[in-house]
Amino acid sequence: MKRITCLAIAALLCLSADADAQRRHRNNPFSFSPYVGAFMDAYDLEADDSNVGWLLGFRAGYRKGQRLDLHLNLGYAHVDDVATRPLPTDPIHDNRWVLLTGGADFALIPGSTSVAVGADIGVGWRQTKPRDPPPGAAGSFGWAAYETAVPSLTLRHQFTPRAGIFLSAQDYIFDLLEGPVQHSPALTFGLTLR
């Protein structure tokens, strides 16, 4: 009886360890990816070519197999000094962007280090705001909405099944339906957590 009890306990310990190992190696299909980068604003009217600002945001994703990832993307960009000032005393204007897109990435080369092409569609909202408005002047020019398509090329590396990094080049294409089309390229670096 004692021997049977010891064998049963040993079998339970082995089975529970095996079940725990299986649970740890199961991949989570959901991901959260914060990122930062540079954003070249096509709506910068200043003649000094200083149309590069910063971009930050996050992506919420769902993996649909080895090659396909679906995602939602929310980003915020800020670009300084975007409007021509006739007089040096005129205020400096900055652009603020809120970008909301959804789409998919397809891994051309799957694996722990992968290359993926992607396509998103969505909307970008832009606000042009004076940096230091003179007293009594309007604070901003309101928000304008632009339909957006975003092709991308992404290089990813997974360190573990739950963590990785990525480098992505995107082209935010604004005013697709109403024209004229404006291109705002972006380069981002981020962390993927599953």
Side-chain angles (χ1 to χ4, degrees):
M1 182 71 172
K2 193 176 194 180
R3 186 177 296 177
I4 293 173
T5 305
C6 287
L7 287 174
I9 290 173
L12 285 174
L13 288 175
C14 289
L15 288 175
S16 67
D18 186 41
D20 185 49
Q22 287 178 0
R23 185 173 358 104
R24 277 185 291 171
H25 293 293
R26 187 178 309 149
N27 286 335
N28 181 5
F30 296 99
S31 66
F32 177 77
S33 303
Y35 61 85
V36 297
F39 178 78
M40 186 175 289
D41 193 349
Y43 292 90
D44 185 343
L45 304 176
E46 184 67 34
D48 63 358
D49 289 334
S50 65
N51 58 348
V52 177
W54 51 267
L55 170 68
L56 63 90
F58 68 89
R59 295 172 113 181
Y62 180 76
R63 176 156 284 174
K64 291 278 295 178
Q66 281 287 83
R67 292 183 177 254
L68 185 65
D69 286 339
L70 305 175
H71 57 261
L72 292 173
N73 180 37
L74 178 63
Y76 176 81
H78 184 89
V79 181
D80 291 334
D81 197 7
V82 298
T84 303
R85 297 182 303 154
L87 300 172
T89 57
D90 289 347
I92 296 172
H93 290 83
D94 301 336
N95 273 350
R96 296 180 189 179
W97 285 92
V98 174
L99 306 161
L100 179 62
T101 61
D105 287 339
F106 181 78
L108 298 174
I109 304 171
S112 60
T113 300
S114 64
V115 175
V117 293
D120 288 47
I121 57 170
V123 64
W125 291 276
R126 177 176 67 112
Q127 180 187 46
T128 302
K129 182 176 187 342
R131 193 178 302 167
D132 296 317
S140 68
F141 297 115
W143 291 89
Y146 302 89
E147 63 276 2
T148 307
V150 188
S152 64
L153 180 66
T154 304
L155 174 65
R156 292 185 277 220
H157 180 72
Q158 288 294 126
F159 294 110
T160 69
R162 297 196 182 274
I165 58 174
F166 66 90
L167 179 67
S168 184
Q170 301 116 2
D171 182 13
Y172 285 86
I173 304 170
F174 298 107
D175 277 342
L176 282 173
L177 303 176
E178 298 172 6
V181 173
Q182 300 288 335
H183 294 269
S184 291
L187 183 65
T188 58
F189 176 79
L191 175 67
T192 299
L193 303 170
R194 293 193 180 278

